[in-house]
Amino acid sequence: GVLPLTISSIVSDNSNFRISENFPLIILPGNTMQLIVKFNPLTVGLKSGYLNITSNDPEQNTYIIPIKGIGVT
């Protein structure tokens, strides 16, 4: 797009996954941004969830991204 993208929040539905960013995040046109999703499972095994990204995108202001990880000892 031609306007800045403002990400107002990124929330996981599973507490094993988290984003350590201060919101809002602003991405200027033509730019990209990398985010780190931290995975800290309390138990062994497959963990899955979704990241819900809310922004000012006029066509799709909420993106839902599936995530998963495997907790090991």
Short mmCIF file of all heavy atoms in Angstrom, two decimals:
data_model
loop_
_atom_site.label_atom_id
_atom_site.label_comp_id
_atom_site.label_asym_id
_atom_site.label_seq_id
_atom_site.Cartn_x
_atom_site.Cartn_y
_atom_site.Cartn_z
N GLY A 1 0.80 -1.19 0.00
CA GLY A 1 0.00 0.00 0.00
C GLY A 1 0.84 1.25 0.00
O GLY A 1 2.07 1.21 0.01
N VAL A 2 0.18 2.36 -0.01
CA VAL A 2 0.86 3.66 -0.06
C VAL A 2 0.83 4.38 1.29
O VAL A 2 1.45 5.42 1.42
CB VAL A 2 0.25 4.56 -1.15
CG1 VAL A 2 0.46 3.95 -2.53
CG2 VAL A 2 -1.23 4.80 -0.91
N LEU A 3 0.12 3.83 2.25
CA LEU A 3 0.04 4.43 3.58
C LEU A 3 0.74 3.54 4.60
O LEU A 3 0.85 2.33 4.41
CB LEU A 3 -1.42 4.63 3.99
CG LEU A 3 -2.25 5.55 3.12
CD1 LEU A 3 -3.71 5.53 3.57
CD2 LEU A 3 -1.70 6.96 3.18
N PRO A 4 1.21 4.12 5.70
CA PRO A 4 1.82 3.30 6.75
C PRO A 4 0.82 2.29 7.31
O PRO A 4 -0.38 2.58 7.43
CB PRO A 4 2.21 4.31 7.83
CG PRO A 4 2.29 5.62 7.13
CD PRO A 4 1.27 5.56 6.02
N LEU A 5 1.32 1.11 7.64
CA LEU A 5 0.52 0.09 8.29
C LEU A 5 0.78 0.19 9.79
O LEU A 5 1.93 0.13 10.23
CB LEU A 5 0.90 -1.30 7.79
CG LEU A 5 0.16 -2.47 8.45
CD1 LEU A 5 -1.31 -2.47 8.01
CD2 LEU A 5 0.83 -3.79 8.10
N THR A 6 -0.28 0.36 10.56
CA THR A 6 -0.15 0.42 12.01
C THR A 6 -0.69 -0.87 12.60
O THR A 6 -1.87 -1.18 12.44
CB THR A 6 -0.92 1.63 12.58
OG1 THR A 6 -0.38 2.82 12.01
CG2 THR A 6 -0.80 1.69 14.09
N ILE A 7 0.18 -1.60 13.26
CA ILE A 7 -0.22 -2.82 13.95
C ILE A 7 -0.50 -2.43 15.39
O ILE A 7 0.40 -2.00 16.12
CB ILE A 7 0.85 -3.91 13.87
CG1 ILE A 7 1.08 -4.30 12.41
CG2 ILE A 7 0.46 -5.13 14.71
CD1 ILE A 7 2.22 -5.24 12.17
N SER A 8 -1.75 -2.56 15.80
CA SER A 8 -2.13 -2.12 17.14
C SER A 8 -1.94 -3.21 18.19
O SER A 8 -1.75 -2.90 19.37
CB SER A 8 -3.57 -1.62 17.16
OG SER A 8 -4.44 -2.60 16.65
N SER A 9 -1.97 -4.49 17.78
CA SER A 9 -1.73 -5.56 18.74
C SER A 9 -1.43 -6.87 18.03
O SER A 9 -1.85 -7.09 16.89
CB SER A 9 -2.94 -5.75 19.67
OG SER A 9 -4.03 -6.29 18.96
N ILE A 10 -0.70 -7.72 18.73
CA ILE A 10 -0.50 -9.11 18.33
C ILE A 10 -0.70 -9.93 19.59
O ILE A 10 0.02 -9.75 20.58
CB ILE A 10 0.89 -9.37 17.74
CG1 ILE A 10 1.15 -8.48 16.52
CG2 ILE A 10 1.04 -10.85 17.38
CD1 ILE A 10 2.54 -8.62 15.93
N VAL A 11 -1.70 -10.80 19.57
CA VAL A 11 -2.07 -11.56 20.75
C VAL A 11 -2.11 -13.04 20.40
O VAL A 11 -2.66 -13.42 19.36
CB VAL A 11 -3.46 -11.10 21.28
CG1 VAL A 11 -3.88 -11.91 22.49
CG2 VAL A 11 -3.43 -9.62 21.60
N SER A 12 -1.55 -13.87 21.28
CA SER A 12 -1.64 -15.32 21.10
C SER A 12 -2.76 -15.86 21.97
O SER A 12 -3.00 -15.38 23.07
CB SER A 12 -0.32 -15.97 21.52
OG SER A 12 -0.44 -17.38 21.48
N ASP A 13 -3.43 -16.88 21.45
CA ASP A 13 -4.47 -17.54 22.24
C ASP A 13 -3.88 -18.64 23.13
O ASP A 13 -4.61 -19.31 23.84
CB ASP A 13 -5.55 -18.11 21.33
CG ASP A 13 -5.07 -19.28 20.49
OD1 ASP A 13 -3.85 -19.42 20.29
OD2 ASP A 13 -5.92 -20.06 20.03
N ASN A 14 -2.56 -18.81 23.10
CA ASN A 14 -1.89 -19.84 23.89
C ASN A 14 -0.71 -19.17 24.61
O ASN A 14 0.19 -18.62 23.97
CB ASN A 14 -1.40 -20.96 22.98
CG ASN A 14 -0.76 -22.10 23.72
OD1 ASN A 14 -0.11 -21.91 24.74
ND2 ASN A 14 -0.92 -23.30 23.20
N SER A 15 -0.68 -19.23 25.93
CA SER A 15 0.34 -18.53 26.72
C SER A 15 1.75 -19.08 26.52
O SER A 15 2.72 -18.48 26.98
CB SER A 15 -0.02 -18.57 28.20
OG SER A 15 -0.05 -19.90 28.66
N ASN A 16 1.90 -20.20 25.82
CA ASN A 16 3.23 -20.72 25.50
C ASN A 16 3.94 -19.86 24.45
O ASN A 16 5.15 -19.95 24.30
CB ASN A 16 3.14 -22.16 24.99
CG ASN A 16 2.72 -23.13 26.06
OD1 ASN A 16 3.42 -23.31 27.05
ND2 ASN A 16 1.58 -23.76 25.89
N PHE A 17 3.19 -19.06 23.72
CA PHE A 17 3.74 -18.20 22.67
C PHE A 17 3.48 -16.74 23.05
O PHE A 17 2.39 -16.39 23.46
CB PHE A 17 3.04 -18.48 21.33
CG PHE A 17 3.14 -19.90 20.88
CD1 PHE A 17 2.14 -20.82 21.20
CD2 PHE A 17 4.21 -20.33 20.14
CE1 PHE A 17 2.21 -22.13 20.78
CE2 PHE A 17 4.29 -21.65 19.71
CZ PHE A 17 3.30 -22.55 20.04
N ARG A 18 4.53 -15.90 22.87
CA ARG A 18 4.31 -14.49 23.15
C ARG A 18 5.20 -13.62 22.29
O ARG A 18 6.26 -14.06 21.82
CB ARG A 18 4.48 -14.18 24.62
CG ARG A 18 5.82 -14.41 25.19
CD ARG A 18 5.84 -14.13 26.70
NE ARG A 18 7.17 -14.37 27.23
CZ ARG A 18 8.14 -13.47 27.26
NH1 ARG A 18 7.95 -12.26 26.79
NH2 ARG A 18 9.33 -13.78 27.76
N ILE A 19 4.77 -12.41 22.11
CA ILE A 19 5.50 -11.38 21.38
C ILE A 19 5.91 -10.32 22.39
O ILE A 19 5.09 -9.85 23.17
CB ILE A 19 4.60 -10.72 20.30
CG1 ILE A 19 4.08 -11.74 19.30
CG2 ILE A 19 5.30 -9.58 19.61
CD1 ILE A 19 5.05 -12.13 18.25
N SER A 20 7.18 -9.94 22.37
CA SER A 20 7.66 -8.91 23.29
C SER A 20 7.92 -7.62 22.52
O SER A 20 9.05 -7.24 22.26
CB SER A 20 8.94 -9.37 23.98
OG SER A 20 8.71 -10.51 24.76
N GLU A 21 6.87 -6.96 22.14
CA GLU A 21 6.96 -5.70 21.40
C GLU A 21 6.08 -4.66 22.08
O GLU A 21 5.12 -5.00 22.77
CB GLU A 21 6.50 -5.87 19.95
CG GLU A 21 7.36 -6.77 19.11
CD GLU A 21 8.73 -6.20 18.80
OE1 GLU A 21 8.90 -4.96 18.83
OE2 GLU A 21 9.64 -7.00 18.53
N ASN A 22 6.41 -3.41 21.88
CA ASN A 22 5.57 -2.31 22.34
C ASN A 22 4.71 -1.86 21.17
O ASN A 22 5.22 -1.63 20.07
CB ASN A 22 6.42 -1.14 22.84
CG ASN A 22 7.20 -1.51 24.08
OD1 ASN A 22 6.67 -2.15 24.98
ND2 ASN A 22 8.46 -1.14 24.13
N PHE A 23 3.44 -1.77 21.40
CA PHE A 23 2.50 -1.40 20.35
C PHE A 23 2.01 0.02 20.56
O PHE A 23 1.96 0.48 21.69
CB PHE A 23 1.31 -2.39 20.34
CG PHE A 23 1.76 -3.78 19.98
CD1 PHE A 23 2.04 -4.71 20.97
CD2 PHE A 23 1.94 -4.13 18.66
CE1 PHE A 23 2.47 -5.98 20.64
CE2 PHE A 23 2.36 -5.41 18.32
CZ PHE A 23 2.63 -6.33 19.32
N PRO A 24 1.67 0.71 19.48
CA PRO A 24 1.55 0.24 18.10
C PRO A 24 2.90 0.15 17.40
O PRO A 24 3.86 0.83 17.77
CB PRO A 24 0.67 1.30 17.45
CG PRO A 24 0.98 2.56 18.19
CD PRO A 24 1.27 2.12 19.62
N LEU A 25 2.95 -0.70 16.39
CA LEU A 25 4.09 -0.81 15.49
C LEU A 25 3.69 -0.16 14.18
O LEU A 25 2.58 -0.39 13.69
CB LEU A 25 4.45 -2.27 15.23
CG LEU A 25 4.80 -3.12 16.45
CD1 LEU A 25 4.95 -4.58 16.03
CD2 LEU A 25 6.07 -2.62 17.09
N ILE A 26 4.57 0.63 13.60
CA ILE A 26 4.27 1.32 12.35
C ILE A 26 5.26 0.86 11.29
O ILE A 26 6.47 0.96 11.49
CB ILE A 26 4.30 2.84 12.51
CG1 ILE A 26 3.24 3.27 13.53
CG2 ILE A 26 4.09 3.54 11.17
CD1 ILE A 26 3.29 4.72 13.91
N ILE A 27 4.73 0.35 10.18
CA ILE A 27 5.55 -0.11 9.06
C ILE A 27 5.28 0.82 7.88
O ILE A 27 4.14 0.92 7.41
CB ILE A 27 5.23 -1.57 8.69
CG1 ILE A 27 5.38 -2.46 9.93
CG2 ILE A 27 6.13 -2.04 7.56
CD1 ILE A 27 4.90 -3.88 9.72
N LEU A 28 6.31 1.50 7.43
CA LEU A 28 6.17 2.44 6.32
C LEU A 28 6.03 1.69 5.00
O LEU A 28 6.51 0.55 4.87
CB LEU A 28 7.36 3.38 6.29
CG LEU A 28 7.51 4.27 7.54
CD1 LEU A 28 8.78 5.12 7.43
CD2 LEU A 28 6.30 5.15 7.74
N PRO A 29 5.39 2.30 4.00
CA PRO A 29 5.21 1.65 2.70
C PRO A 29 6.55 1.18 2.13
O PRO A 29 7.56 1.88 2.20
CB PRO A 29 4.60 2.75 1.83
CG PRO A 29 3.92 3.65 2.79
CD PRO A 29 4.79 3.64 4.03
N GLY A 30 6.56 -0.04 1.61
CA GLY A 30 7.76 -0.61 1.00
C GLY A 30 8.72 -1.23 2.00
O GLY A 30 9.73 -1.81 1.61
N ASN A 31 8.44 -1.12 3.29
CA ASN A 31 9.32 -1.67 4.31
C ASN A 31 8.76 -2.97 4.87
O ASN A 31 7.61 -3.32 4.65
CB ASN A 31 9.51 -0.67 5.46
CG ASN A 31 10.37 0.50 5.05
OD1 ASN A 31 11.08 0.45 4.07
ND2 ASN A 31 10.31 1.57 5.82
N THR A 32 9.60 -3.67 5.61
CA THR A 32 9.21 -4.90 6.29
C THR A 32 9.62 -4.79 7.75
O THR A 32 10.39 -3.91 8.13
CB THR A 32 9.88 -6.13 5.67
OG1 THR A 32 11.30 -6.00 5.80
CG2 THR A 32 9.50 -6.31 4.21
N MET A 33 9.14 -5.71 8.55
CA MET A 33 9.51 -5.75 9.97
C MET A 33 9.56 -7.22 10.40
O MET A 33 8.68 -8.00 10.03
CB MET A 33 8.49 -4.99 10.81
CG MET A 33 8.80 -5.01 12.30
SD MET A 33 7.62 -4.03 13.25
CE MET A 33 8.17 -2.38 12.82
N GLN A 34 10.59 -7.56 11.15
CA GLN A 34 10.70 -8.90 11.71
C GLN A 34 10.28 -8.85 13.17
O GLN A 34 10.65 -7.92 13.89
CB GLN A 34 12.12 -9.43 11.59
CG GLN A 34 12.55 -9.69 10.19
CD GLN A 34 13.95 -10.30 10.14
OE1 GLN A 34 14.59 -10.54 11.15
NE2 GLN A 34 14.42 -10.57 8.94
N LEU A 35 9.54 -9.85 13.59
CA LEU A 35 9.12 -9.98 14.97
C LEU A 35 9.57 -11.34 15.49
O LEU A 35 9.60 -12.31 14.75
CB LEU A 35 7.60 -9.88 15.10
CG LEU A 35 6.98 -8.57 14.62
CD1 LEU A 35 5.47 -8.70 14.61
CD2 LEU A 35 7.41 -7.44 15.52
N ILE A 36 9.90 -11.39 16.75
CA ILE A 36 10.29 -12.64 17.38
C ILE A 36 9.12 -13.16 18.21
O ILE A 36 8.59 -12.44 19.06
CB ILE A 36 11.53 -12.45 18.26
CG1 ILE A 36 12.72 -12.06 17.40
CG2 ILE A 36 11.82 -13.73 19.06
CD1 ILE A 36 13.96 -11.67 18.19
N VAL A 37 8.71 -14.39 17.92
CA VAL A 37 7.71 -15.07 18.72
C VAL A 37 8.47 -15.97 19.69
O VAL A 37 9.21 -16.86 19.27
CB VAL A 37 6.75 -15.91 17.86
CG1 VAL A 37 5.74 -16.63 18.73
CG2 VAL A 37 6.05 -15.03 16.83
N LYS A 38 8.31 -15.72 20.98
CA LYS A 38 8.99 -16.52 21.98
C LYS A 38 8.12 -17.71 22.35
O LYS A 38 6.92 -17.56 22.56
CB LYS A 38 9.32 -15.68 23.20
CG LYS A 38 10.33 -14.59 22.89
CD LYS A 38 10.74 -13.83 24.11
CE LYS A 38 11.77 -12.79 23.71
NZ LYS A 38 12.24 -12.04 24.87
N PHE A 39 8.75 -18.88 22.40
CA PHE A 39 8.06 -20.13 22.72
C PHE A 39 8.64 -20.65 24.03
O PHE A 39 9.83 -20.93 24.13
CB PHE A 39 8.27 -21.13 21.59
CG PHE A 39 7.66 -22.48 21.82
CD1 PHE A 39 6.31 -22.62 22.06
CD2 PHE A 39 8.44 -23.63 21.78
CE1 PHE A 39 5.73 -23.87 22.26
CE2 PHE A 39 7.88 -24.88 21.97
CZ PHE A 39 6.52 -25.00 22.21
N ASN A 40 7.81 -20.73 25.06
CA ASN A 40 8.26 -21.15 26.39
C ASN A 40 7.23 -22.12 26.99
O ASN A 40 6.46 -21.75 27.87
CB ASN A 40 8.46 -19.93 27.29
CG ASN A 40 9.11 -20.29 28.60
OD1 ASN A 40 9.78 -21.30 28.71
ND2 ASN A 40 8.90 -19.47 29.60
N PRO A 41 7.24 -23.38 26.51
CA PRO A 41 6.25 -24.34 27.00
C PRO A 41 6.58 -24.79 28.43
O PRO A 41 7.74 -24.90 28.81
CB PRO A 41 6.38 -25.50 26.02
CG PRO A 41 7.80 -25.44 25.56
CD PRO A 41 8.13 -23.96 25.51
N LEU A 42 5.56 -25.04 29.19
CA LEU A 42 5.74 -25.52 30.56
C LEU A 42 5.74 -27.04 30.63
O LEU A 42 6.14 -27.61 31.65
CB LEU A 42 4.63 -24.95 31.45
CG LEU A 42 4.60 -23.42 31.53
CD1 LEU A 42 3.42 -22.96 32.37
CD2 LEU A 42 5.91 -22.88 32.09
N THR A 43 5.29 -27.69 29.58
CA THR A 43 5.24 -29.15 29.54
C THR A 43 5.77 -29.65 28.20
O THR A 43 5.88 -28.90 27.24
CB THR A 43 3.80 -29.66 29.74
OG1 THR A 43 2.98 -29.12 28.70
CG2 THR A 43 3.24 -29.26 31.10
N VAL A 44 6.11 -30.94 28.17
CA VAL A 44 6.61 -31.59 26.96
C VAL A 44 5.45 -31.85 26.00
O VAL A 44 4.33 -32.10 26.43
CB VAL A 44 7.30 -32.92 27.35
CG1 VAL A 44 7.71 -33.71 26.12
CG2 VAL A 44 8.50 -32.66 28.24
N GLY A 45 5.74 -31.77 24.70
CA GLY A 45 4.75 -32.13 23.69
C GLY A 45 4.42 -31.00 22.74
O GLY A 45 4.93 -29.89 22.86
N LEU A 46 3.56 -31.32 21.80
CA LEU A 46 3.14 -30.38 20.77
C LEU A 46 2.24 -29.30 21.37
O LEU A 46 1.30 -29.60 22.11
CB LEU A 46 2.38 -31.11 19.67
CG LEU A 46 1.85 -30.25 18.52
CD1 LEU A 46 2.99 -29.62 17.74
CD2 LEU A 46 0.97 -31.08 17.60
N LYS A 47 2.55 -28.07 21.06
CA LYS A 47 1.73 -26.92 21.47
C LYS A 47 1.34 -26.17 20.20
O LYS A 47 2.16 -25.99 19.30
CB LYS A 47 2.50 -25.97 22.39
CG LYS A 47 3.24 -26.63 23.53
CD LYS A 47 2.32 -27.33 24.46
CE LYS A 47 3.16 -27.99 25.56
NZ LYS A 47 2.51 -29.06 26.22
N SER A 48 0.11 -25.75 20.13
CA SER A 48 -0.33 -24.99 18.95
C SER A 48 -1.25 -23.87 19.39
O SER A 48 -1.79 -23.87 20.49
CB SER A 48 -1.03 -25.90 17.95
OG SER A 48 -2.17 -26.49 18.54
N GLY A 49 -1.39 -22.92 18.52
CA GLY A 49 -2.25 -21.79 18.80
C GLY A 49 -2.33 -20.88 17.59
O GLY A 49 -1.97 -21.27 16.48
N TYR A 50 -2.77 -19.67 17.85
CA TYR A 50 -2.92 -18.67 16.79
C TYR A 50 -2.39 -17.33 17.27
O TYR A 50 -2.53 -16.99 18.45
CB TYR A 50 -4.39 -18.51 16.40
CG TYR A 50 -4.98 -19.75 15.78
CD1 TYR A 50 -5.64 -20.69 16.56
CD2 TYR A 50 -4.85 -19.98 14.42
CE1 TYR A 50 -6.15 -21.85 15.99
CE2 TYR A 50 -5.37 -21.14 13.85
CZ TYR A 50 -6.01 -22.06 14.63
OH TYR A 50 -6.52 -23.19 14.08
N LEU A 51 -1.79 -16.58 16.35
CA LEU A 51 -1.48 -15.18 16.60
C LEU A 51 -2.55 -14.36 15.92
O LEU A 51 -2.83 -14.54 14.73
CB LEU A 51 -0.11 -14.81 16.02
CG LEU A 51 1.12 -15.43 16.68
CD1 LEU A 51 2.38 -14.96 15.95
CD2 LEU A 51 1.18 -15.10 18.15
N ASN A 52 -3.17 -13.47 16.65
CA ASN A 52 -4.17 -12.55 16.11
C ASN A 52 -3.52 -11.18 15.96
O ASN A 52 -3.18 -10.56 16.97
CB ASN A 52 -5.38 -12.48 17.04
CG ASN A 52 -6.07 -13.82 17.15
OD1 ASN A 52 -6.63 -14.30 16.18
ND2 ASN A 52 -6.00 -14.44 18.31
N ILE A 53 -3.35 -10.75 14.74
CA ILE A 53 -2.69 -9.48 14.44
C ILE A 53 -3.76 -8.48 14.02
O ILE A 53 -4.48 -8.70 13.05
CB ILE A 53 -1.65 -9.65 13.32
CG1 ILE A 53 -0.62 -10.70 13.73
CG2 ILE A 53 -1.00 -8.31 12.99
CD1 ILE A 53 0.35 -11.07 12.65
N THR A 54 -3.85 -7.38 14.77
CA THR A 54 -4.84 -6.34 14.48
C THR A 54 -4.12 -5.11 13.94
O THR A 54 -3.14 -4.65 14.54
CB THR A 54 -5.63 -5.98 15.75
OG1 THR A 54 -6.22 -7.18 16.26
CG2 THR A 54 -6.72 -4.98 15.46
N SER A 55 -4.62 -4.58 12.82
CA SER A 55 -3.98 -3.43 12.18
C SER A 55 -5.01 -2.49 11.58
O SER A 55 -6.21 -2.74 11.66
CB SER A 55 -3.02 -3.91 11.07
OG SER A 55 -3.76 -4.35 9.95
N ASN A 56 -4.52 -1.45 10.93
CA ASN A 56 -5.39 -0.50 10.25
C ASN A 56 -5.56 -0.82 8.76
O ASN A 56 -6.01 0.03 7.99
CB ASN A 56 -4.86 0.93 10.42
CG ASN A 56 -3.54 1.16 9.70
OD1 ASN A 56 -2.79 0.22 9.41
ND2 ASN A 56 -3.22 2.42 9.43
N ASP A 57 -5.23 -2.04 8.35
CA ASP A 57 -5.40 -2.45 6.96
C ASP A 57 -6.89 -2.36 6.60
O ASP A 57 -7.71 -3.05 7.21
CB ASP A 57 -4.90 -3.88 6.78
CG ASP A 57 -4.93 -4.36 5.34
OD1 ASP A 57 -5.84 -3.95 4.58
OD2 ASP A 57 -4.06 -5.15 4.97
N PRO A 58 -7.26 -1.53 5.62
CA PRO A 58 -8.68 -1.36 5.32
C PRO A 58 -9.34 -2.59 4.69
O PRO A 58 -10.56 -2.73 4.76
CB PRO A 58 -8.70 -0.17 4.35
CG PRO A 58 -7.35 -0.15 3.74
CD PRO A 58 -6.41 -0.69 4.79
N GLU A 59 -8.55 -3.48 4.10
CA GLU A 59 -9.12 -4.67 3.47
C GLU A 59 -9.22 -5.86 4.41
O GLU A 59 -10.10 -6.69 4.28
CB GLU A 59 -8.31 -5.04 2.23
CG GLU A 59 -8.42 -4.00 1.14
CD GLU A 59 -7.62 -4.37 -0.09
OE1 GLU A 59 -7.23 -5.55 -0.24
OE2 GLU A 59 -7.38 -3.48 -0.91
N GLN A 60 -8.27 -5.96 5.34
CA GLN A 60 -8.28 -7.07 6.30
C GLN A 60 -7.57 -6.59 7.56
O GLN A 60 -6.35 -6.68 7.66
CB GLN A 60 -7.60 -8.31 5.73
CG GLN A 60 -7.72 -9.51 6.64
CD GLN A 60 -7.19 -10.78 6.01
OE1 GLN A 60 -6.76 -10.80 4.86
NE2 GLN A 60 -7.21 -11.86 6.76
N ASN A 61 -8.34 -6.10 8.52
CA ASN A 61 -7.70 -5.50 9.69
C ASN A 61 -7.32 -6.51 10.76
O ASN A 61 -6.65 -6.18 11.72
CB ASN A 61 -8.56 -4.39 10.29
CG ASN A 61 -9.86 -4.91 10.86
OD1 ASN A 61 -10.22 -6.05 10.68
ND2 ASN A 61 -10.55 -4.04 11.56
N THR A 62 -7.71 -7.78 10.60
CA THR A 62 -7.27 -8.84 11.51
C THR A 62 -6.74 -10.01 10.71
O THR A 62 -7.41 -10.51 9.81
CB THR A 62 -8.43 -9.31 12.41
OG1 THR A 62 -8.93 -8.21 13.15
CG2 THR A 62 -7.98 -10.39 13.37
N TYR A 63 -5.51 -10.39 11.01
CA TYR A 63 -4.90 -11.58 10.43
C TYR A 63 -4.77 -12.62 11.53
O TYR A 63 -4.36 -12.30 12.64
CB TYR A 63 -3.51 -11.27 9.87
CG TYR A 63 -3.53 -10.47 8.60
CD1 TYR A 63 -3.55 -9.09 8.63
CD2 TYR A 63 -3.50 -11.11 7.36
CE1 TYR A 63 -3.57 -8.34 7.46
CE2 TYR A 63 -3.50 -10.37 6.19
CZ TYR A 63 -3.54 -8.99 6.26
OH TYR A 63 -3.55 -8.26 5.10
N ILE A 64 -5.08 -13.86 11.21
CA ILE A 64 -4.94 -14.95 12.17
C ILE A 64 -3.93 -15.93 11.58
O ILE A 64 -4.12 -16.47 10.49
CB ILE A 64 -6.29 -15.63 12.44
CG1 ILE A 64 -7.27 -14.60 13.02
CG2 ILE A 64 -6.12 -16.82 13.37
CD1 ILE A 64 -8.68 -15.10 13.18
N ILE A 65 -2.83 -16.13 12.32
CA ILE A 65 -1.73 -16.96 11.85
C ILE A 65 -1.58 -18.16 12.77
O ILE A 65 -1.40 -17.99 13.98
CB ILE A 65 -0.43 -16.15 11.82
CG1 ILE A 65 -0.57 -14.96 10.88
CG2 ILE A 65 0.74 -17.04 11.41
CD1 ILE A 65 0.60 -14.03 10.88
N PRO A 66 -1.65 -19.38 12.23
CA PRO A 66 -1.43 -20.57 13.06
C PRO A 66 0.04 -20.71 13.44
O PRO A 66 0.93 -20.40 12.62
CB PRO A 66 -1.89 -21.73 12.19
CG PRO A 66 -1.81 -21.23 10.79
CD PRO A 66 -1.97 -19.74 10.85
N ILE A 67 0.31 -21.13 14.68
CA ILE A 67 1.67 -21.36 15.14
C ILE A 67 1.71 -22.68 15.91
O ILE A 67 0.71 -23.14 16.44
CB ILE A 67 2.17 -20.21 16.05
CG1 ILE A 67 1.19 -19.93 17.18
CG2 ILE A 67 2.43 -18.95 15.25
CD1 ILE A 67 1.66 -18.90 18.17
N LYS A 68 2.90 -23.30 15.93
CA LYS A 68 3.05 -24.50 16.73
C LYS A 68 4.51 -24.69 17.09
O LYS A 68 5.42 -24.15 16.45
CB LYS A 68 2.50 -25.73 16.03
CG LYS A 68 3.20 -26.12 14.76
CD LYS A 68 2.53 -27.34 14.15
CE LYS A 68 3.14 -27.67 12.79
NZ LYS A 68 2.51 -28.83 12.20
N GLY A 69 4.75 -25.44 18.15
CA GLY A 69 6.09 -25.77 18.60
C GLY A 69 6.02 -27.05 19.41
O GLY A 69 4.95 -27.49 19.84
N ILE A 70 7.19 -27.65 19.62
CA ILE A 70 7.25 -28.88 20.40
C ILE A 70 8.11 -28.64 21.63
O ILE A 70 9.29 -28.27 21.50
CB ILE A 70 7.82 -30.06 19.56
CG1 ILE A 70 6.90 -30.33 18.37
CG2 ILE A 70 7.97 -31.30 20.42
CD1 ILE A 70 7.43 -31.39 17.41
N GLY A 71 7.51 -28.83 22.79
CA GLY A 71 8.25 -28.70 24.05
C GLY A 71 9.04 -29.98 24.30
O GLY A 71 8.52 -31.08 24.14
N VAL A 72 10.31 -29.83 24.67
CA VAL A 72 11.17 -30.99 24.96
C VAL A 72 11.80 -30.82 26.34
O VAL A 72 11.77 -29.74 26.93
CB VAL A 72 12.28 -31.14 23.88
CG1 VAL A 72 11.67 -31.45 22.54
CG2 VAL A 72 13.14 -29.91 23.80
N THR A 73 12.37 -31.91 26.84
CA THR A 73 13.03 -31.84 28.16
C THR A 73 14.48 -31.49 28.04
O THR A 73 15.09 -31.63 27.03
CB THR A 73 12.91 -33.18 28.90
OG1 THR A 73 13.49 -34.20 28.10
CG2 THR A 73 11.48 -33.50 29.22
#
